[in-house]
Amino acid sequence: MDLDPDIIRTIDELNDSSWQVMLKDPVGAADIATHALDLSRKIQYDKGIASALLNSAWCRLFLSDLTGAERIASEVLELYSAMDDLLGLSMSYNVLGAVFHERGEFDKALERFMKSLEIAKSLGRKDREAASLNNVGEVLKDSGEIQEALTYFMRASEAMKAMGDEKKQGVEIESNVLVNIGEAFLALGETENASSYLELALDSAESVEDVGTEARTLKALAHVAERRGSVKDAQDLFSRALERAQSSGQVLIASEAMTENAELLIETGDLTEALRLLELALETAGNAGAKRNMPECYRLRSLVRERLGDITSALADYKRYKEALDALSDERVARLVHNAEARYELESAKKEGEIFRLRNVELKERRAELERTNARLRSVAEIGREITASLDMETVARIVHRRLGELLDATDFSLALLDSAMDRIVFRLFIQGNVESPVFSIPADSKVSFSAWVITHGEPLLIKNAPKEYKKYIKDTAFRVGKDTSSLLFTPLFSGAMVVGAIGIQSMLPEAYSGEDLKLIGALASFVSVALENSRVHEELRKVNLALQTEKSELERLTRKVSHIANHDGLTGLPNRLLLAELLDTALKRSRRAKKIVAVMYMDLDDFKPINDKYGHRAGDIALVVVSNRLKQVLRASDTVSRVGGDEFVAIVTDLDSKLTASLVAEKLVVSCSQPMDVGGTECRVGVSVGIAFYPDDGIKAEELLRHADDALYQVKRRGKNGFAFYNGNDTRDEEPKNLDQPEA
């Protein structure tokens, strides 16, 4: 059908408008895209439909609807493919990669970004090339490969400088590239470089109203302020970042801001607020299906709960942290598989085949080479999975030797690891002529070992004619090199930026290995490095778990000790006033259910002060210990006696059927205390006055009963001491206080 040019112009303007306002207002941009989509479908305008869907996918991504973004991006990818629109394909791969990146599926993200990059290069579109380079750098940065990520960000910056007439089209990524460079420098510890780039990023983001990048930049500047020692500035910047992210609906950035702010709060001791932010961040990330921020949330929440004394929950969170980290580690392994593919794609027919396939150009002469490459890539991926499945380096070495032998001549093989502490290179597996040598080591600076040269220089080594070339690298070939060796292939093993070992194979045939073989062994070395790191992490986790268990036991012991000290009298070991209140509340609740009587007996020693005055405080302490033991002996195991003052004690007598029983107990207490005692070789005597209040007759609350028992005690004090009395409510005796020093009439 003939398309109305005016309607087409309107649709194109709507799509352009949606793209322009997307960073500032993703909700509004989504509405504009929906309107453009409806108009395009009415007149069957394919380009308008695809553009509207592309904008809609980006809007959903910015609003953290990852499922919706993936569904729409997949649909628009098919549309652009059918239209043979390479620019649209490049942009579709970008948004799909961004979705997988937010989910933490780095292998899938990197695959889409690399496709977008190669298409952009084939079109000569520097704006899309810059966007894709920036995306690849973001994945590498979040994978921990900061130096490599910085290289991609700088390449993205250079691509933007070379844009020329396309400059306006790249404005939307300029602030994003700048903040990524700033974050990379921050991760590398270069605070001042980071600050300079972040300030530029903030100005750029504000100028184009890119609210999401503005929030990210504020987060990063908060870390700069923190490193400079300005905690208040850091908290203010985190708050601004959170506000900007929430105002634009970008919940994933908000989740990261909450997590990073929580870490700062932990350092300043505000654990309650840190815990609240971490729980909110976990809920936000979980609802959005984003995995890459969750391990850090679990780790920090475990730390907070440990400091708050909730050891059980802290250990549970540490387990969740490890599981989440392991899941991301699996993604990293998968990404290495893709990296192995990417190395081959850059210089092989597969890359050219993909680009020209999109242009419907048949390249039959490349087919055989492509099939060989694919077969080898499948082997690399399969071997990589087998290598990373083991945590034992001896097993890993044997797997590498066996599987390499299926692809290359690996009759002579070595796997050497650097022991930095001993300054030695340890050969974990050394096979020559199919004969295995025992484990041995050589000095790290050895001049007669190809492995030592590779480890020292951090470079791979391909020698096609050893007799002619070896002197460029080592002094002689007498050491552990077969006399018939003609070809050698060695590659370093890396952990981050550090060389930690080397893998090598040798052949008696000249020119036995090619540049492709060097790439193959280099790809496998990446997996061996991952296996090394996994082995190291596994051992560290084992030690951490052991330390945590030890710390938990010690913490529990200390907690019990502190609790006992806080709740018991230091001299007599009896419960103190603090614990008494808790024990009395418990006794009252139990008696309320059982409908029993509880007697609260407030006791004060008579004639105790003369012992202190005459014999000293040491003698007084001995007397108090003797009295406390006598009180415990009179009472049942189910009853409680506590020391609440200098010479004051309180007994809780439970499960009474009548007040008469309480009288008998009080009488025994008075008699027991009045017996003579040996205090440092001197015989001394004290008496005890006892005031008694009953639950529920004299009160139903602990403080009420204690007060009334104290009132009854002073009845005894006023009327002769060394006896007991019941509380009667009006300071007159229900029962005459009994003075057991006086004979009964």
Side-chain angles (χ1 to χ4, degrees), residues 485-599:
T485 296
S486 186
S487 302
L488 305 101
L489 191 58
F490 283 78
T491 189
L493 299 174
F494 288 92
S495 177
M498 296 178 60
V499 181
V500 295
I503 297 174
I505 56 176
Q506 302 173 34
S507 173
M508 291 186 294
L509 299 174
E511 300 190 3
Y513 308 122
S514 66
E516 288 296 310
D517 297 328
L518 184 61
K519 293 175 187 175
L520 170 66
I521 196 170
L524 291 180
S526 297
F527 291 106
V528 176
S529 297
V530 170
L532 275 170
E533 181 68 11
N534 288 346
S535 179
R536 184 189 64 78
V537 170
H538 176 75
E539 180 61 20
E540 287 183 0
L541 286 175
R542 187 189 66 77
K543 291 178 181 178
V544 167
N545 285 332
L546 181 62
L548 280 174
Q549 291 298 327
T550 303
E551 288 177 9
K552 179 187 175 187
S553 300
E554 180 63 15
L555 185 59
E556 289 173 348
R557 186 187 69 78
L558 290 174
T559 300
R560 289 193 296 270
K561 183 175 180 181
V562 169
S563 176
H564 187 274
I565 291 171
N567 291 292
H568 290 78
D569 176 49
L571 176 64
T572 64
L574 296 176
N576 60 16
R577 184 181 295 275
L578 181 65
L579 183 56
L580 170 67
E582 182 180 334
L583 295 173
L584 183 52
D585 280 338
T586 301
L588 295 180
K589 290 175 184 176
R590 187 171 65 247
S591 297
R592 190 177 298 121
R593 290 193 298 269
K595 297 183 179 178
K596 295 283 187 177
I597 297 172
V598 175

Side-chain angles (χ1 to χ4, degrees), residues 262-297:
E263 187 172 17
L264 179 61
L265 291 170
I266 292 171
E267 293 175 3
T268 59
D270 192 352
L271 300 181
T272 303
E273 179 61 10
L275 185 61
R276 184 188 71 81
L277 284 175
L278 289 170
E279 289 174 345
L280 186 57
L282 275 168
E283 179 183 357
T284 301
N287 290 341
K291 297 181 287 187
R292 62 190 174 98
N293 191 42
M294 298 182 78
E296 184 66 0
C297 287

